[in-house]
Amino acid sequence: MTPKAVFWDMDGTLVDSEPLHEAALVAALRSVGIAPPTNLHERVLGVAAWPVYEMLRDQFGLDLPFDDWILRKYDHYLPMAETLKPRPGAIEVFNQLRALGVEQAVVSNSDRLIVDANLSAVGLLYPGMHTVSRNDVRQGKPHAEPFLRAAYLAGVDPADAVAIDDSQTGAMAGLAAGMKTIFWPEAPMEGPPGAIVINNADELRAQLGL
């Protein structure tokens, strides 16, 4: 059965933006003389900007104020955002659900500036669309608040909604919100206990009753 609502993560789930996020982070680190750690991708995947900043400050000696740091990163990221592509199969599923009248929202740990830039780049902005950015909540993922905010905006019970995310952090947030949670990682891996792990858009359609 198709769910009443489906709430999508953005970076890595709807939009293939994780490589650009990593490239911008690497460029910003090098611009201040810090060598990026080899496991940078694993350490920052799905994590909001402030905790990433705290990690870089505490473990790698980043000494810029947060506002200066994030502007430096976005100066690298935003000029390239228009080159972004959708994750294969994801937006087709989104549009199929939209045609069926299923409530949807995009739920991201990124700032509003990035959410709007990314969705615009892949042609996924329309009047009345529900989006939740890190700026719209007090606590980001892995806390439940972002997905609960989406349920409020969509007017549905969280138990009637599905959360889709490519990161452990995001999947944990969906589970904490009491939603059926689909973990769709970019590379095969185990998900958090309770999440449904899939590997492609066909498996996603099956889980959504399409």
Side-chain angles (χ1 to χ4, degrees), residues 13 16 34 44 52 59-60 68 73 89 95 116 122 125 131 138 153 155-156 177 191:
T13 303
D16 187 19
I34 296 175
V44 304
V52 170
Q59 297 182 31
F60 296 92
D68 293 343
K73 183 194 170 187
N95 288 332
D116 291 347
V122 297
L125 280 178
T131 60
R138 295 179 64 185
L153 292 173
V156 300

Coordinates of all heavy atoms in Angstrom, one line a residue, residues 13 16 34 44 52 59-60 68 73 89 95 116 122 125 131 138 153 155-156 177 191:
T13 N 20.4 11.6 -1.4 CA 19.1 10.8 -1.5 C 18.4 11.3 -2.7 O 18.1 10.5 -3.6 CB 18.3 10.9 -0.3 OG1 19.0 10.5 0.9 CG2 17.0 10.0 -0.4
D16 N 22.5 14.2 -6.1 CA 23.8 13.6 -6.0 C 24.8 14.7 -5.6 O 25.7 15.1 -6.4 CB 24.2 12.9 -7.3 CG 25.5 12.2 -7.2 OD1 25.9 11.8 -6.1 OD2 26.1 11.9 -8.2
I34 N 44.9 23.3 6.4 CA 44.6 22.0 7.1 C 44.5 20.9 6.1 O 43.7 21.0 5.2 CB 43.3 22.1 8.0 CG1 43.4 23.2 9.1 CG2 42.9 20.8 8.6 CD1 42.2 23.4 9.9
V44 N 31.7 13.0 8.0 CA 30.7 14.1 7.9 C 29.4 13.8 7.2 O 28.5 14.6 7.1 CB 31.4 15.3 7.1 CG1 32.7 15.7 7.8 CG2 31.7 14.9 5.7
V52 N 30.0 19.4 12.3 CA 31.2 19.3 11.5 C 32.3 20.3 11.9 O 33.5 20.0 12.1 CB 30.9 19.3 10.0 CG1 32.2 19.4 9.2 CG2 30.0 18.1 9.6
Q59 N 39.5 18.8 16.7 CA 40.5 17.8 16.3 C 41.5 18.2 15.3 O 42.6 17.5 15.3 CB 39.7 16.5 15.8 CG 38.7 15.9 16.8 CD 38.0 14.7 16.3 OE1 38.6 14.0 15.5 NE2 36.8 14.5 16.8
F60 N 41.3 19.2 14.6 CA 42.2 19.6 13.5 C 42.7 21.1 13.6 O 43.4 21.5 12.8 CB 41.6 19.4 12.1 CG 41.3 17.9 11.9 CD1 40.1 17.4 12.2 CD2 42.3 17.1 11.4 CE1 39.8 16.0 12.0 CE2 42.0 15.7 11.2 CZ 40.8 15.2 11.5
D68 N 32.6 32.7 9.6 CA 33.7 32.8 8.6 C 33.9 31.5 7.9 O 34.2 31.4 6.7 CB 34.9 33.4 9.2 CG 34.8 34.8 9.7 OD1 33.8 35.5 9.3 OD2 35.6 35.2 10.5
K73 N 33.3 27.8 3.0 CA 32.9 26.5 2.4 C 31.9 26.8 1.3 O 32.0 26.3 0.2 CB 32.3 25.6 3.4 CG 31.9 24.2 2.7 CD 31.0 23.4 3.6 CE 30.4 22.2 2.8 NZ 29.4 21.4 3.5
G89 N 16.9 7.7 -10.5 CA 15.7 7.1 -10.1 C 14.9 7.8 -9.0 O 13.7 7.6 -8.9
N95 N 8.2 12.2 -8.3 CA 7.2 12.7 -9.2 C 6.0 11.7 -9.4 O 4.8 12.1 -9.5 CB 7.8 13.1 -10.6 CG 8.6 14.3 -10.5 OD1 8.4 15.2 -9.7 ND2 9.6 14.4 -11.4
D116 N 17.7 25.3 -1.0 CA 17.1 26.0 -2.2 C 17.9 25.9 -3.4 O 17.4 25.7 -4.5 CB 16.8 27.4 -1.8 CG 15.7 27.6 -0.8 OD1 15.0 26.6 -0.5 OD2 15.5 28.7 -0.3
V122 N 18.2 20.8 -9.7 CA 17.6 19.6 -10.3 C 16.1 19.8 -10.6 O 15.5 18.8 -10.9 CB 17.8 18.4 -9.3 CG1 19.3 18.1 -9.1 CG2 17.1 18.6 -8.0
L125 N 11.6 22.4 -7.4 CA 11.0 23.4 -6.6 C 9.6 23.8 -7.2 O 9.6 24.0 -8.4 CB 11.9 24.7 -6.5 CG 13.0 24.7 -5.5 CD1 13.8 26.0 -5.6 CD2 12.5 24.5 -4.1
T131 N 9.5 21.9 2.6 CA 10.9 21.6 2.8 C 11.3 22.0 4.2 O 10.8 23.0 4.8 CB 11.8 22.4 1.8 OG1 11.6 23.8 2.0 CG2 11.5 22.0 0.4
R138 N 15.2 23.3 15.9 CA 16.1 23.5 17.0 C 17.2 22.5 17.0 O 18.4 22.7 17.3 CB 15.4 23.5 18.4 CG 14.5 24.7 18.5 CD 13.8 24.7 19.9 NE 14.7 24.9 20.9 CZ 14.4 24.8 22.2 NH1 13.1 24.5 22.6 NH2 15.3 25.0 23.2
L153 N 3.9 19.8 8.9 CA 3.6 20.6 7.7 C 2.7 19.9 6.7 O 1.9 20.5 6.0 CB 5.0 20.9 7.0 CG 5.9 21.9 7.7 CD1 7.2 22.0 7.0 CD2 5.2 23.3 7.9
G155 N 0.6 17.6 7.6 CA -0.7 17.3 8.2 C -1.0 15.8 8.4 O -2.1 15.3 8.2
V156 N 0.1 15.0 8.6 CA -0.1 13.6 8.8 C 0.5 13.1 10.1 O 1.4 13.7 10.7 CB 0.6 12.8 7.6 CG1 0.0 13.2 6.3 CG2 2.1 13.0 7.6
A177 N 11.6 9.4 14.9 CA 10.3 10.1 14.7 C 9.1 9.1 14.6 O 7.9 9.5 14.5 CB 10.3 10.9 13.4
G191 N 22.3 -0.8 7.8 CA 21.6 0.4 8.3 C 21.4 0.3 9.8 O 21.7 -0.8 10.4

